[in-house]
Structures are given as structure tokens and as C-alpha cells.
Amino acid sequence: RPPQLHLIISTRVDPPLPLARLRVQRELAEVRAGDLRFNDAEAARFFDEVMGLDLNAADVASLGSRTEGWIAGLQLAALSLQGREDAHTFLENFSGSHRFILDYLVEEVVSRQTPAVRRFLLATSILERLNGSLCEAVTDQIDAQEMLQRLETANLFLIPLDDRRHWYRYHHLFADLLRARLQQTATEEAVAELHRRASRWYEAEGAPVEAVEHMLASGDVEQAADLIQRHGHAQWGLSNTTFMRFISHLPPQMLSRRPVLGVYHAWMLIIYGQIPAARQLLQELADRLDEGAGSPELEGVRTFIELMLAYTSVLLGAPPPQEVLDAAALALVSDDHLGMRNSADVVYAYLLFVRGELDAAADHLMVPIERDVAAQGTTAIPIAISRLAEIRQLQGRLGEVERLCRYYAPQVAKRGKERFYIAGNIDLVLGNVLRERNELQAAEELIQTGLETNEPWQVPHAQATGALVLARLQQAQGQARPALETLVTLEAEIAGRIILPLQRSELEALKVWLWLQNDEQLAALNWAAKLDPLPPPNLIREPELLTLVRVWLATDRSSAALALLGRLAEAAEEGGRAGRLLQIRVVQAQALATFERRGEALAALAAALRLATPEGYVRVFADEGAPIRDLLIAYLRTPESQHAAYARHLLRAFPDNVADAALTAGGMMEPLTPRELEVLQLICDGHSNQAIADRLTITVSTVKKHAGNIYGKLGVSSRAQAMVSARELGLVPPVRPTQ
């Protein structure tokens, strides 16, 4: 071949030339489907300038995706659109079965193939993805891989999905056409048999989701139910919605005949807040089990149903059960059904929790956590950690909550957050701890991550957790109106679905408090009127009752507020709920101050400081605003203020700059300047003078000058003394003991 010779071939199929060798020798230039495909901008110009159609960007993108940029497909779609007033509706339903597409592909492509190729194309059109082994199972042909390679060589709308040419798919429009032709030319039973063959292949390959999808498409719901039950809900890919979708195709009477499948469905209904429907199904299952003989497996199912009925009763507002099933009975629920067994333990712990048995509930929650870790499971850790964190927060043990989250978060991440339906809760819980400690930026990052992780699942009680934590963060950031909007948005999102009673109480309490902070007293008063008669002061209703106290304090009912606070404090103390007691003491201090009972108010504040200091609580004080700020300053002026250093630390969390005045009152002759505070913080962090100079972009001599000023104002003569004095005076955050 002389060098000036160029051979140009236009063809739908690869020519019988040594293409691979020519590529290596850089003697081949190829223009293939990917090069000819229109992008969205090119498609928009084509529709506008050539076809005279004015389509919006969303419709152009949708059509480009549907045709995969195939120019003939775009042109045929444009021909179909001409003269239509409902272009958007047409495009939403556009497929390869539309007339122009159908005529073109039948005439230009399908009719030109051999009968063997046509049979292969139609039979494999039921598949979303194709490989040789799967196609052989569906078509009952032994040369399927060779056929796929021939179809690819012929550019017959077959698209490889990997570099090894193992998996393929058909072009979307071509697949639509083939499926339409299959329905026209084959009997229902023939099509069903194709799906059954595909289902058997997928199950053998360990892909239960695809196996069920094809079995459902075959119309054989009994076999589909067998598959669903055999593989268990924990195996359903990345979303519980997949399991729910499968279940929705099964007749209700089939679920009542299959107890294991029925209880999994009931649990899914509970997760998605459909409690009455779940309870009805559980009762039907219980009635049917009572009619028949009991195998060990069915006895475990019966135990699970008994727990679920008690659980759903509480979720619907019934009081805690007088008796809880003996923990030994949980052994009847087999570990072979890991999801069921873990769910049983989580529910058992919750029933202990609502009865006020906090430590027993916390101990039991470790059972499914440890089992899930050992089994590499994906069902227990996030929900059990969330429930355990809730208990420890009620008990005022923030440090333990932080340790739990930081220890188990890697366990979830290692197995993939997308496999846990509320994996984001761990980030939300940890973010809430950091918010309480006033580490707002770090808290915001974690909370945002948690919200994004949970969002695809749309689980109501996880949505409630996220909104509650986010609204509290917004409140801490001084954004009372956005915080209220967060809660209103949540109410719309979960309308008609039921969440945990304590969540309902906390959301309601925070909403009313935000009303007060947004000067919406009338709404708060109307809400308060509905709490007559008052509910008992228990761990579920305490948040609402504490907010009722705030309403009364804002509307000159301080006497009634004090009486209710006394009952709340007594109940929280008896129940071992130190975290709740801390909140009550802070509000109690405000209430006493309104009566000018200053000594009692300071005593209540001191009691709150005793509870808060070891765990690093901040926002429980700061979110109350000026009344607590003023009490903290008064506390620092008392002769015996045991927690003075922490009180000074708390004052720095208030938005108005009162810390300097308080610190001067606490013994400093003159407050530190902002730059001196920066230098002092770096000194306390252990930095050398040179490191401080580098950090602040100043000279070492300037650092020494600042240090001398600091020593003078603190009345000390060394770095070590300055560090001690700074922490005592609350000029830098106190060091929390290592947990």
C-alpha cells in the first residue's frame, strides 16, 4: 500500500480486516457510535434548527437519554412530535414501540436478520443485561456467547457493559421494540417460560433480586414468594423499598399463609410508619398460627409476633406493658433469620426502655450489636446504637454516646453505609453530641452527612431524628425561624405515618419552644390549652411538660410552673435520667429567679453545673439566653462557686460579649484583648513561641510581649501558671478527662 493511499469504509459491521493490528500500528482512524452520538446541546440545535421544535432543556435531556443520542432515533421522535400539543406527555411515554421507531427498526434492522438471530433477539429482550451463560439458559442455545459477539460486530444495537465483553445490553429503544414484538408474536406461556428460565439462572448465580423480578414477571407468584422467603429481607440489595415492592405483588392471603414472609412484611410496614396495617397483618398471622401445630421455627415466629403486637400497641399510644416477655423466650427466634432475631432484641429492649428500665434496656441492646458484628450483618448496628445513645443521653452520659458512635461508625462504613437503612443516624447522634458541646461547625458537617446518608431510604423515624437534630443545631446558631421551618417540613414529609412516641414528644416540645422564640405566643398558648388535663411526668411526656413550663413562665404562670418543675425533677431523679434532670434544673433556676428567689435559683444552677461539667454540656445553658447568662454571672460573684471555671467557659457560648465582665468580676484586673486570648489559647495548646509566631504571622518578640501582658493580667509569672489560671478562669475550654 503506497503511503498516499487512504481507504475509507462506511459500514454497519466491522470489516474482515486485521483491525487490532492496524490500531496498534496507528494506521486506523475509527468513527464509531460514541463519536456520532448527539449530546444534549447538539440535540437541542437539531430540534430547533432542523425540525422546528421548541423543546425545553429537560425534555431534550430526557429524549437524549432515551435514544442514547442516536441521530435516527432523535429524528424519528421529532417526526412523531410534529403537530402535537402534548409534547411533554408524549416524551414521558416515548419508547421503541412508537410507530415511526417501530417501522424503521423492523424494516431496516430486524427483518434483515436470519430467523435464528430474530429468535435470539426476541427471547433475550426480556433481559436488562445479557451474557453468554444467561442467554444460553433463556434461549436454550449453546452458542449464545458467539451470537452476542456476532451481534456486536454487526453493530446491532448491542452495547458492551465492561471491557471484557462479558456483559451487554440492548439500546433502550431497540429493547423496547423487541419486547413489543415478543408480546405480539409469542404466547403468554412462552414469555412466562423465558422469565422462569432467567429467574432460575439468577438464583443459581446468587442474585435473588433479579431472580424474584423475573419470577414475578412470569406471573408465578407462588414461586416468587418462595424465592422471597428463601433469601430473607436482609438480602434485598440496597433498599428496603425493593422488598416492599416485591411484597406488594403478592396477594394478602398468601402472606398470612407464610408466617416468616408475613412478619418480614409487617416489620417493613413498621419501619415505614404504617403501624395500623402492620398490626392488622400481625394479628392475622397470630390467629393463623393458633390454628395449626407448632414447629420450632413457628414458635420463634409466634414469639416475634407477640413482641411486635406489644411494640405496635405502644407506638399507637398505649401505656407501657405491665409485663415484658421473658428474655429467655427470645432464644426461640432462630439466628438463621438474622434480621428477625436482631429486630426481636431491639424491640425487647425498647419495651424495657418505655417501662423506665434504662440500664436493662441498654445492656440488652448490646446483644444484637455484638451478634451483627460477629455475623458481618447489616441489620442491627445503626438502629441499636441509635436506641442505646438515646438511653445514655437521657442518663446524661454524653461521653459514652460519643465513644459508641466513634467506635461503631467504622463498622458500618466498612460494610457500606448504603446497606443500612438508617446508617446516617450514627453521624446524626454524634453531631448532636458535638452541638451540645458547642462545637457547631463540626456538628454541622456530621449532621449534613447523616441527613444525606438517610435521605434515599425515607424512613420516617430516621427523618424525624434528622429534623430534630438539625433544628436544634439551627437553634444553637441563632436561626430560630429556619429551625421552625425544618420541623414544619418534616411534618409534611411524614404526614400519616407513625414515629416513636418519644420522638413525637421531643418534636412537639421543640416546635412550641421555637414558637416562643419567634414571638408566636398565641400558638404556644393554644397548644398548652390542649394539655389539660396534664399527662403524667414520665420519660415519654417529659419534653412536652418541660416546654409547657416555658409557656407558663412566658405568660406569668410561674407558680404553676414551679410546682410542675418539682414533679418533673422528682420523676427524672427517681428514674435515673440525669440528662433530663439537667434540663429541668436549668429551667428551674430561671423560674426561681422570676420570683426573685435568687438563693434557690443559684442552688438550682449549681446543681445543673454539677451534672454538666463532667460531660461538657453547653447548649443546654446557652440556648436559654439572657436569663441563664445573668444567673451564671451572679453565680461567679458568689463567694463559693465550685464550678466557676466551667461557668466562665459557658459564658463564652452566649452571643453577646459578657464574658470579659464576668471574668473581671472573677478576679482579673483587666480583660484580655482578642489577640491576647489567641496567644493564650496557643500557649495552653502547648505551642512554642516560634510556633505561635508562625501561626499568627507575627514576630517572636511580639509573642513574648503578648505573653508578658497576659502574665500580668492573670497575676502569674510562668507558662505553666498561666495555663492553670486560664482554665480556672474559663478563658480557654476546660480539658475533658479521657473517657
Side-chain angles (χ1 to χ4, degrees), residues 432-499:
N432 192 48
V433 170
L434 298 184
R435 174 205 61 83
E436 179 56 55
R437 288 176 171 159
N438 208 38
E439 299 172 29
L440 299 187
Q441 183 175 349
E444 184 172 7
E445 292 171 1
L446 277 168
I447 290 168
Q448 190 57 44
T449 299
L451 291 170
E452 291 172 359
T453 302
N454 281 350
E455 198 277 334
W457 299 88
Q458 296 294 295
V459 173
H461 67 84
Q463 291 173 283
T465 298
L468 189 60
V469 170
L470 176 60
R472 284 172 174 162
L473 174 68
Q474 291 167 322
Q475 181 189 40
Q477 294 169 329
Q479 303 173 26
R481 177 59 59 183
L484 188 55
E485 291 169 358
T486 294
L487 299 185
V488 171
T489 300
L490 171 75
E491 289 176 349
E493 289 176 345
I494 66 172
R497 295 186 286 175
I498 294 172
I499 56 176

Side-chain angles (χ1 to χ4, degrees), residues 1 7 14-30 32:
R1 176 177 62 84
L7 178 63
D14 285 349
L17 297 173
L19 300 181
R21 189 175 73 214
L22 292 171
R23 286 190 193 102
V24 172
Q25 294 173 347
R26 299 182 181 275
E27 295 181 348
L28 178 66
E30 300 173 89
R32 290 190 172 267

Side-chain angles (χ1 to χ4, degrees), residues 346-474:
V346 169
V347 167
Y348 179 82
Y350 183 79
L351 295 176
L352 293 174
F353 168 73
V354 295
R355 285 164 53 89
E357 300 176 33
L358 301 189
D359 285 326
D363 290 343
H364 197 82
L365 281 169
M366 291 306 301
V367 174
I369 292 171
E370 291 169 357
R371 182 188 300 118
D372 225 33
V373 170
Q376 293 292 301
T378 60
T379 62
I381 295 175
I383 188 170
I385 290 296
S386 299
R387 298 280 176 87
L388 183 54
E390 182 177 48
I391 293 169
R392 295 313 188 201
Q393 283 175 317
L394 273 174
Q395 294 176 319
R397 294 156 66 169
L398 283 189
E400 184 171 344
V401 175
E402 181 177 5
R403 289 198 307 277
L404 283 167
C405 292
R406 294 197 187 281
Y407 180 80
Y408 285 102
Q411 301 274 355
V412 174
K414 182 171 62 177
R415 278 171 270 173
K417 285 186 177 182
E418 72 278 0
R419 300 180 68 195
F420 296 81
Y421 66 88
I422 55 169
N425 276 23
I426 294 182
D427 288 324
L428 293 174
V429 169
L430 182 55
N432 192 48
V433 170
L434 298 184
R435 174 205 61 83
E436 179 56 55
R437 288 176 171 159
N438 208 38
E439 299 172 29
L440 299 187
Q441 183 175 349
E444 184 172 7
E445 292 171 1
L446 277 168
I447 290 168
Q448 190 57 44
T449 299
L451 291 170
E452 291 172 359
T453 302
N454 281 350
E455 198 277 334
W457 299 88
Q458 296 294 295
V459 173
H461 67 84
Q463 291 173 283
T465 298
L468 189 60
V469 170
L470 176 60
R472 284 172 174 162
L473 174 68
Q474 291 167 322

